[in-house]
Amino acid sequence: MFRTAIPLGRWAGVVVRAHWSVLVVLFLITDLLASAVLPQAAPGAESLWYWVTGGLTATGFLASLLLHELSHAAVARRHGVKVRRITLWILGGAAELEGEPPTPKADFLIAVAGPLASLLIGGTALGGAVLAAGALPPLPVGGLAWLGVSNLLLAVFNLLPGAPLDGGRILRAVIWWRRGDRARAGAIADRSGQVLGAVLAVAGLAQLLFLGQFTGLWLVLLGWFLIFAAQAEFAAGPLRERLAGLRVRDIMNSSPVIAPGWWTVDAFAEFAAGAGHERVFPVMSFDGVPLGIVSLGELIKLPADARHATRVVDVARKDQAVTVVGADAEVASLIDRGFPRSGRDLVLVTQAGGLAGVVGADDLAWAFELTALDHRPRIAGGRTSTFDHQSVT
Ligand SMILES: [Zn+2]
């Protein structure tokens, strides 16, 4: 869902990105403000100024959404939970954590930080609007007041008790704290999220059909997303439990076929034809530093006459487009990072700056299926077949 997002920058090591759908939000909010909210709050101004104030206020709203997510991220880091990245998209923001909060208290504080930030921003903006009411022209005051109210609503909405909303996380933390069972608490919060999603979707549908308000469509979308996300989390719960304690080094392939980054695409394709049945490869520098990954599918996209002149590293996926984990990371943490697609993606496993191995779709499926049979994967270093092929041919 978030694969195609535009990076906006970094904050304390956390990548901040925006999905293209944010532009839709920006436009819808600007339109709502310029054609309905602001003309009512400050009648008689020129149309241009409604649009300018609307645009600025909408941008301010997205900025406050970002602050909400950054608050989650800051508290998560304080509790030793790494934050992979923050993505803004059509239904708000998402801070992607790597791994689970260690204690119910950490779980609670990470969850509550976002709504608290929104409450603070909302209160400040609304207070500012009240104070500035006489001193400033009504147009900026109207924008500020809307920003305040929308942030307060954002806080209240996020506190609704269903996963994956912040309120659902809080519910999970409290049940976890009371009963001492993290998995059970998570399952209850997920079920609650599904019910909440259904209620929101039905309410949105009613608003759309009976009141003819198009904002109902957004509520339907949001409800549908909640049902979907809560269901996915619920389904992943038992898997997470089964994988507990299993490390990436236990399931990785420690002798993958390597793509030398400085080779030409032609030379590498010739090599790959005799190097086993792999379709995705880790790309390495001459000094043995992992640079990224490349798939045969990506090589195909290159024009045929460019293959002899293009280096593998120039077509490789690098940086944020590649998942990199340490060999000691929990396999369960890979669940949160988007499943590698067969023949297209590969997780790079690093140790002391070098490549320790790779995890592909099949390696993960192998671990999932074995643990479902109540067996622990126990081939340290993974498959060795690729090297055998190389020596035989
Ligand atoms: Zn939040």
Side-chain angles (χ1 to χ4, degrees):
M1 188 183 307
F2 291 146
R3 280 187 203 275
T4 54
I6 306 135
L8 297 179
R10 268 170 183 275
W11 168 83
V14 180
V15 177
V16 177
R17 320 179 309 158
H19 189 254
W20 61 267
S21 57
V22 161
L23 291 176
V24 177
V25 181
L26 196 63
F27 172 75
L28 286 179
I29 296 179
T30 305
D31 181 55
L32 172 78
L33 284 161
S35 51
V37 176
L38 292 174
Q40 210 164 24
E46 262 188 76
S47 162
L48 174 70
W49 287 113
Y50 288 132
W51 284 96
V52 170
T53 313
L56 286 174
T57 309
T59 310
F61 180 71
L62 287 181
S64 51
L65 212 57
L66 189 59
L67 281 173
H68 174 114
E69 300 305 330
L70 285 173
S71 307
H72 285 305
V75 178
R77 287 165 68 102
R78 187 177 279 267
H79 288 88
V81 180
K82 275 196 203 157
V83 182
R84 186 185 179 205
R85 60 191 182 189
I86 290 172
T87 310
L88 295 181
W89 66 305
I90 194 163
L91 295 180
E96 294 173 61
L97 306 183
E98 282 178 21
E100 298 288 324
T103 60
K105 187 183 169 193
D107 202 14
F108 176 82
L109 292 175
I110 294 168
V112 90
L116 271 184
S118 294
L119 279 178
L120 206 67
I121 298 167
T124 309
L126 207 55
V130 170
L131 287 177
L136 287 177
L139 206 45
V141 172
L144 201 59
W146 183 88
L147 193 64
V149 171
S150 59
N151 266 287
L152 293 180
L153 287 176
L154 185 71
V156 171
F157 175 76
N158 269 291
L159 286 170
L160 292 176
L165 293 179
D166 297 331
R169 306 285 184 235
I170 292 170
L171 179 69
R172 176 178 76 185
V174 171
I175 300 174
W176 182 9
W177 171 59
R178 298 291 301 218
R179 300 205 194 162
D181 185 345
R182 158 76 177 72
R184 178 102 191 89
I188 294 172
D190 290 337
R191 280 298 185 218
S192 172
Q194 283 175 283
V195 173
L196 185 66
V199 170
L200 288 180
V202 168
L205 209 57
Q207 192 185 359
L208 195 65
L209 294 180
F210 300 124
L211 301 176
Q213 293 173 339
F214 260 99
T215 43
L217 199 62
W218 186 77
L219 215 53
V220 171
L221 199 63
L222 200 59
W224 176 81
F225 167 73
L226 273 187
I227 297 173
F228 175 78
Q231 169 61 34
E233 272 195 13
F234 185 78
L239 182 62
R240 224 179 267 280
E241 250 184 298
R242 287 207 309 269
L243 293 175
L246 197 62
R247 306 280 164 181
V248 169
R249 68 164 70 259
D250 301 326
I251 71 156
M252 71 182 181
N253 171 7
S254 65
S255 47
V257 177
I258 303 285
W262 67 97
W263 283 19
T264 65
V265 169
D266 238 355
F268 175 66
E270 168 63 20
F271 167 73
H277 293 190
E278 304 302 321
R279 294 165 62 211
V280 207
F281 311 86
V283 178
M284 304 287 278
S285 77
F286 191 71
D287 315 320
V289 178
L291 299 173
I293 59 173
V294 78
S295 67
L296 293 182
E298 281 158 325
L299 299 184
I300 292 169
K301 283 184 197 152
L302 198 68
D305 56 0
R307 283 179 205 146
H308 69 281
T310 309
R311 292 178 309 154
V312 171
V313 67
D314 296 326
V315 258
R317 256 174 291 161
K318 293 176 274 267
D319 303 323
Q320 291 311 313
V322 182
T323 303
V324 181
V325 293
D328 288 321
E330 292 249 356
V331 174
S333 74
L334 290 177
I335 298 175
D336 306 319
R337 311 191 55 166
F339 280 57
R341 295 162 295 179
S342 178
R344 294 177 71 181
D345 301 317
L346 212 49
V347 175
L348 296 182
V349 185
T350 56
Q351 197 165 31
L355 186 75
V358 297
V359 175
D362 279 344
D363 301 307
L364 265 183
W366 174 71
F368 293 169
E369 287 162 6
L370 272 178
T371 51
L373 290 165
D374 292 323
H375 283 270
R376 305 291 280 181
R378 52 179 163 75
I379 302 181
R383 294 171 289 166
T384 53
S385 58
T386 51
F387 256 58
D388 295 345
H389 283 301
Q390 272 170 314
S391 54
V392 166
T393 47

